[in-house]
Amino acid sequence: MKRAAGGRRRPGRPAGSTGDQTRARVLAAAVETFAQQGLAGTSMRDVSRRARIRVSSLYHYFPSKEALFQAVQERAQSEIRELILTVVGQTADFRTVTREAIGRLFDFFLANRDYAKLSYRACLEGTGLGTDQRVLERWLGFLEGTLRPAEQRGDVKDVDPALFMATIDALVHWHVVNDAFYQRLLGKGLDDPETAARAREHVITVAVRTLGVE
C-alpha cells in the first residue's frame, strides 16, 4: 500500500477482492440511480447512499459522476458483447445465430431492465459521454462483417446494417420497458413467463423476417 509522509495512505482506488466487490456494488447502485434519475438528476451522494458507502470512498473508485456514468455504460456494453460473441462462436448457421443472438439480447435486458431504462434516458438526454461512437463503430463493424458475407452468399436480403441495428435495439428496449403496456393489453406483465416468451418471439420474428431468413 502506498503511503504519504507521516504514514497516511495516499488517495487512490482500493485494491483487492474487497475493493473489487465494493466497486461492483457501486456500479450496480449507479445503474439503478441513473436509470431512475438520469445523469443530470443524480449526484455522487445519491449513488453513495444507495451503495451504502461514504461519498469520499466513492471518489476513490471514480473521480467524477461522469466517469461513473461512463463506467456503467461500458460495463453494459462489455456484457452484451461477450453474450453475442458467445452465441456467434456456437454455430455458423446464420439463421440460428440471428435467432439466438436476438433472443439472448432480449433476455439480457429483461433481466437487467435498469440498463434498458438507462439507454432510453441517455438517448433523450444526449448523455453518451463519448463512449457511444466507439460502441457504435464496434457494433457496426461486427454487423458489416456478419451481414455482408451472408448477403454475398444469398442467405439474406440486402439490409442496411446501421438501420437494422437501430431497429432491433429499439424493439428490444421498447418491449422490455413497457411492462405497463402489457398489463393493460394482455392483463399480464413481462414477469409472467408466457407473456415474456410471446414478446421475445415477436422481436426475433421481426428480425429474421427483415433479413429474409424465415
Side-chain angles (χ1 to χ4, degrees):
M1 179 186 297
K2 295 182 179 179
R3 295 184 180 277
R8 290 176 301 167
R9 190 185 187 282
R10 293 178 181 176
R13 191 174 69 188
S17 59
T18 301
D20 292 340
Q21 291 169 5
T22 301
R23 187 176 190 276
R25 192 169 80 244
V26 166
L27 286 173
V31 170
E32 295 178 11
T33 309
F34 285 131
Q36 292 176 8
Q37 301 173 196
L39 176 61
T42 295
S43 69
M44 291 291 267
R45 187 172 298 280
D46 292 332
V47 177
S48 68
R49 187 180 300 115
R50 190 181 291 268
R52 302 186 307 281
I53 66 171
R54 295 179 180 176
V55 176
S56 57
S57 298
L58 179 56
Y59 280 105
H60 279 299
Y61 295 88
F62 301 99
S64 67
K65 179 175 69 171
E66 289 73 20
L68 175 56
F69 188 78
Q70 182 168 323
V72 165
Q73 290 186 313
E74 290 177 347
R75 181 191 188 193
Q77 290 299 331
S78 177
E79 291 179 20
I80 294 170
R81 183 171 183 271
E82 183 177 346
L83 179 154
I84 298 299
L85 290 178
T86 299
V87 172
V88 171
Q90 291 177 347
T91 177
D93 179 69
F94 188 79
R95 176 183 176 279
T96 301
V97 167
T98 301
R99 290 191 61 87
E100 185 68 15
I102 294 173
R104 294 273 194 96
L105 189 65
F106 185 94
D107 293 341
F108 173 83
F109 280 110
L110 185 61
N112 300 276
R113 297 189 204 185
D114 281 333
Y115 277 147
K117 294 176 184 177
L118 184 61
S119 294
Y120 262 118
R121 282 195 172 275
C123 288
L124 293 172
E125 298 172 1
T127 50
L129 298 178
T131 60
D132 284 356
Q133 188 59 39
R134 295 199 308 273
V135 169
L136 283 173
E137 290 174 355
R138 182 187 305 152
W139 283 113
L140 283 174
F142 173 76
L143 278 174
E144 285 277 358
T146 304
L147 284 176
R148 293 309 177 207
E151 287 176 5
Q152 292 170 1
R153 293 192 304 267
D155 295 341
V156 301
K157 297 177 181 177
D158 184 6
V159 175
D160 185 316
L163 294 181
F164 179 73
M165 180 180 71
T167 298
I168 300 307
D169 187 67
L171 277 172
V172 170
H173 281 75
W174 190 92
H175 282 276
V176 166
V177 302
N178 271 280
D179 189 71
F181 174 82
Y182 279 99
Q183 291 280 2
R184 291 193 300 271
L185 182 68
L186 303 177
K188 296 180 180 179
L190 292 173
D191 289 330
D192 173 61
E194 185 177 343
T195 303
R198 184 174 172 182
R200 182 183 192 270
E201 182 59 28
H202 172 73
V203 172
I204 294 172
T205 299
V206 170
V208 295
R209 290 183 179 176
T210 298
L211 293 172
V213 294
E214 188 171 290

